[in-house]
Every structure is written in C-alpha cells, then in structure tokens.
Amino acid sequence: MAIQQKCILSLKECILFFFTKIPIFGTYQAPKFMHGCFFVPPKYQYLEQSPDPSVVAGASYMVGRGFASIFWGMVADRIGRKPVILFSILSTIVFNTLFGLSVKYWMAITTRLLLGALNGFLAPIKAYCIEVCRDDQQALGMSTVNTAWGLGLIIGPAIGGYLAQPAKQYPNIFHEKSIFGRFPYLLPCLCISILAILALISCMWLPETLHKHTNLEMAVDTAEASTTQEHTESPKKSLLRNWPLMSSIITYCVFSLHDTAYSEIFSLWTVSDRKYGGLSFSSKDVGQVLTVAGATLLLYQIFVYRWLDKTLGTINSTRFASALSIPIIAAYPFLTHLSGVRLGVALYIAAMIKSSLAITRVSGTSLLQSNAVPQGQRGAANGIATTLMSLFKSAAPAGAGIIFSWAQRRQHASFFPGDQMVFLLLNLTEVLGLLLTFKPFLAVPEHYK
C-alpha cells in the first residue's frame, strides 16, 4: 500500500529549495541576449532574413521539453522527485555550457533542444513543492516555483546582456583572441552553469518526498496525514479520463498562451513608433519596465499571494485575477495619449499589476492540477501539463508576431484600428480562460470541496 508521508522542510531547506530553481529558469531566459545572426559568417548575411536565433533557440528548448516532460514525470513517480531534479540540473550544467561553445547555428539549436529534452525539472518540482507543504501552505509552496521563474526573467537576460560578447563590451579585460573572444557567448553561459552547480550541491540536503510504505505499522502512523489529502490514492485511474485534471490543464494552457503572446506583443508594441500606435520606447526602456515588473512579482509572491489564496480560495483568486486583467489590457492602447512622467507611471503600474495577476492564475491552475491526482500520479500529471503548455508557448510568439504585423497595416480601419485589435484579441483569449474556470467545464478536485 502506498501512503503519502508529509515531509515538511525546515527554513534552511526552504531557502535551498527556492534558490535551486533560479538558475534552471534562467537558462531559458538567457538566450534572449542572442541578436541577429551571430552564428553566421559575414559572407552569409543573406540568412538575416531567417528567424532571430533567440526566438528559434527558445522554441527549440520548448519543443524538447514538450516531448520529454511526460516521460520525466513518470520517472519521478517511479524512482522519486529528487533523482530527476538532480539529473535535470546536471544536464543544465552540461548543455548550457555547450550552448556557449556553439559556433554554428545548428549547434546552438541542437544543444537547446537537448537541454529541453533532458531537463525534466518542471514536472517533479511542481509535485515536490506540493508534497513538502501542509495543506494550508501549498499556495506558498507553489508560489516559490513562479517566484523563481520571475527571478529568472530578470537574472537570465541581465547576465546575457552584461556578459555577452565580453571582448567587445570590455576590451580592456578580455582580448579578442582569448577563449571569450572566440566564443562570445560562453561567459554568460558559464555564469549560469556555475549557479546551477551551486544549486546541484544545495539539492543534496533536500529530502525525498515520494515515500512508499509496505509496513502496516508505518501505514497506521501516517494514516491521519494521508487521509487529509490523499484519500483518492487508490485505485489509480487514467489521467486522460480524469476530468478535474484535464480541465485544469486546458485552462492552464489557455492562460499560458495568453501570457506568452502578451509578453511578445508588449515588447513589440512599446518599441514601435507612435505613428503606428506604439510608445517609441528604446529596448533599454522596455528592459527597465520588465525588470521592475519582475521585482514586483517577487514581492507579490512572497507577501501577497498566499494571503489572497487563503482569503478567496484557489479557484476564486484565479477568477479574480483573470477578470481584473481584462480592463488592464483594454487600457493599454489608450496609453499612447499620455507622455512623459504620466506615461511612465501608468505603464509601470499596469505592467506590475498585470504580471502579478498572471502569476496568480498560473499558480491557481497549477494547484488544481496537483490536487486532482494522488501522489503516485502527480509527476506524470504535471508532465502532461508541461507538455501541452510547452506546445502552446511554442506557437504563441509566432502567432503574436503575425497578428501584430497585420494590425500595423490597418491603422485607419473603422473597427478597432491598429493595436486596438491586437489587445482586443488578447482580451478575447483572457475571457476564454476566465470562462473555462467555471462549471460545467472546470471540475473542482475533491480536495477543494
């Protein structure tokens, strides 16, 4: 008989657990420092018409992760969460370093693809953060995953921006004929790999949370803890026929699609010229807005989200965040009527609130997924969610770019001209996600009844 044994972390272990995730999420964000065709020799500059390497690298990572996530989730259900987490961090160290040593376009794409396929981190880490927390602490546990992601949004691009091409940025320190001159993107990759090594070492102190007991006496001792959360442990049913799980995964994927498309459109819209409905911001200005939004996200996850989840409940907080996102997105096109300090203040506030609301939705749907299955299926369930989410996120940037380009050509249309159409379509996606959080589509897990 398999019975869950709650494994509550100490404060030291919680800190280690939190910082373990940061370099892993940073590895996905780091390729954003790739611009142009830096893998292509000058005589082949006609290839500049091909997709930006940073976009393709990010997509290849998502594709690799999408195809392998279910497998790693099943492995985590069989041998434990900790071995998969350790292997994923080790693969991050190896392939992230190889990515920095890439001198050809195909080498970069291959290493990112393998990094995504061999990095089965997300599915077991979501299961882990649920299993180490008491029922009333689960929102805080899940928020650590998204907080680490938020820090990765800041740390990854920052490391890439400051350390990429060091021979050009810091010629007094790095010579062009040095290893960092020959491999201009090795230094930021090495930096993240070093952080991952520290994370690997810290994981040695984390306890395993997947326990299978056959001794009757041990089963009796842990029966009280198990019945509060795992009363659906037996018999196991097909995950694809588990509608509380699948409905929450579909809702989660719709919100992920929206968030990825929003991130792409926000960057394009803010840097586009005002005559096309944009804000004429520089890339540096946009980076500052995203950095402040990411820092706010960290504070929100630590100090606000747990209280919000406890006050409204997981489902209602998700609905509240989705509903409040709609008027904020609708207001974006009208920010073009502002300028100077008023524009800066309004944009910063809107970006900070939108980021916090997005994480509230993602955390809520993730909690629903993890509590819709018994512990023995939690890794596989999160693997399915990661696979579908990765596929949605792979399609979102291209779709958002196409829609944005189309909207730029209809500045004088009578029906939602220019960027108003872009944000309308974003809002329709948000409305769809909100509707999916209600019955009869969303089936509430027994844990919340």
Side-chain angles (χ1 to χ4, degrees):
M1 179 172 60
I3 295 182
Q4 177 179 354
Q5 183 184 45
K6 279 289 184 182
C7 186
I8 309 301
L9 295 183
S10 66
L11 177 61
K12 181 185 76 172
E13 291 170 330
C14 286
I15 295 174
L16 290 173
F17 172 60
F18 173 72
F19 283 101
T20 291
K21 301 191 288 291
I22 297 175
I24 309 301
F25 294 134
T27 59
Y28 171 65
Q29 299 298 330
K32 291 186 177 181
F33 58 71
M34 300 164 58
H35 296 291
C37 295
F38 67 89
F39 292 106
V40 184
K43 64 180 179 179
Y44 296 118
Q45 288 302 307
Y46 64 88
L47 288 178
E48 288 184 350
Q49 299 301 319
S50 63
D52 190 324
S54 63
V55 176
V56 179
S60 63
Y61 176 89
M62 283 292 183
V63 170
R65 190 176 74 175
F67 279 109
S69 293
I70 296 178
F71 168 77
W72 288 117
M74 295 174 66
V75 172
D77 284 338
R78 179 170 293 272
I79 68 173
R81 321 300 188 202
K82 187 174 179 179
V84 177
I85 292 173
L86 291 173
F87 179 82
S88 298
I89 297 176
L90 182 61
S91 68
T92 297
I93 297 170
V94 174
F95 288 100
N96 190 61
T97 304
L98 291 176
F99 177 72
L101 293 170
S102 300
V103 294
K104 299 291 184 181
Y105 193 60
W106 66 267
M107 293 173 61
I109 302 305
T110 301
T111 53
R112 293 295 294 178
L113 181 67
L114 291 174
L115 176 58
L118 296 178
N119 186 351
F121 187 80
L122 192 55
I125 209 68
K126 283 188 174 182
Y128 191 97
C129 72
I130 289 293
E131 293 162 358
V132 298
C133 297
R134 299 188 301 269
D135 290 357
D136 60 337
Q137 301 284 342
Q138 286 185 1
L140 178 62
M142 185 62 69
S143 72
T144 63
V145 177
N146 299 307
T147 301
W149 174 265
L151 283 178
L153 290 173
I154 302 172
I155 294 175
I159 290 176
Y162 284 110
L163 300 183
Q165 297 179 316
K168 291 184 178 180
Q169 293 198 69
Y170 315 105
N172 295 330
I173 301 177
F174 300 95
H175 196 272
E176 287 188 0
K177 294 184 178 180
S178 67
I179 186 172
F180 296 114
R182 293 165 50 204
F183 303 100
Y185 298 94
L186 176 60
L187 184 59
C189 290
L190 277 180
C191 183
I192 291 180
S193 294
I194 291 173
L195 292 176
I197 291 174
L198 297 178
L200 182 66
I201 296 173
S202 71
C203 276
M204 301 301 179
W205 283 272
L206 293 180
E208 177 58 64
T209 60
L210 184 66
H211 302 282
K212 296 183 181 294
H213 306 290
T214 56
N215 186 282
L216 180 59
E217 182 177 354
M218 295 180 67
V220 172
D221 291 338
T222 58
E224 182 178 355
S226 66
T227 53
T228 60
Q229 180 179 351
E230 301 296 334
H231 52 277
T232 59
E233 182 81 25
S234 179
K236 294 180 180 178
K237 59 181 179 180
S238 170
L239 292 177
L240 297 179
R241 296 182 180 179
N242 184 339
W243 186 242
L245 170 66
M246 297 309 299
S247 61
S248 60
I249 288 178
I250 294 172
T251 306
Y252 170 70
C253 288
V254 171
F255 284 140
S256 297
L257 174 69
H258 169 89
D259 293 341
T260 307
Y262 165 80
S263 298
E264 185 75 13
I265 288 173
F266 181 85
S267 299
L268 294 172
W269 171 65
T270 48
V271 300
S272 63
D273 196 276
R274 279 187 173 268
K275 66 180 180 180
Y276 295 115
L279 299 180
S280 297
F281 274 32
S282 66
S283 298
K284 182 179 180 180
D285 293 333
V286 178
Q288 290 176 349
V289 174
L290 295 177
T291 299
V292 172
T296 304
L297 183 63
L298 174 62
L299 298 175
Y300 172 80
Q301 286 287 341
I302 295 175
F303 298 107
V304 179
Y305 176 68
R306 180 186 170 193
W307 170 83
L308 182 66
D309 181 84
K310 185 177 181 180
T311 303
L312 298 180
T314 300
I315 299 174
N316 286 331
S317 62
T318 302
R319 293 168 179 166
F320 169 78
S322 180
L324 190 57
S325 296
I326 295 173
I328 293 177
I329 294 175
Y332 271 123
F334 301 99
L335 293 181
T336 56
H337 299 294
L338 302 177
S339 61
V341 176
R342 290 189 300 172
L343 172 61
V345 171
L347 184 63
Y348 273 90
I349 292 176
M352 289 188 293
I353 295 177
K354 180 65 177 70
S355 298
S356 299
L357 295 175
I359 289 299
T360 302
R361 296 187 282 98
V362 172
S363 298
T365 50
S366 296
L367 284 171
L368 293 176
Q369 295 163 28
S370 294
N371 285 303
V373 294
Q375 184 191 29
Q377 293 181 306
R378 192 168 283 146
N382 281 294
I384 294 174
T386 302
T387 293
L388 295 178
M389 177 266 290
S390 298
L391 295 177
F392 274 70
K393 283 194 170 185
S394 297
I402 293 173
I403 292 174
F404 186 83
S405 298
W406 167 69
Q408 294 285 289
R409 297 192 296 268
R410 53 186 313 276
Q411 294 295 322
H412 304 290
S414 58
F415 181 73
F416 287 93
D419 293 336
Q420 291 185 28
M421 176 59 72
V422 176
F423 290 104
L424 172 64
L425 295 177
L426 271 179
N427 255 342
L428 290 179
T429 310
E430 185 70 47
V431 169
L432 174 61
L434 175 60
L435 293 176
L436 294 181
T437 63
F438 290 90
K439 294 180 179 180
F441 183 83
L442 184 66
V444 180
E446 292 291 332
H447 178 80
Y448 294 100
K449 292 182 179 179

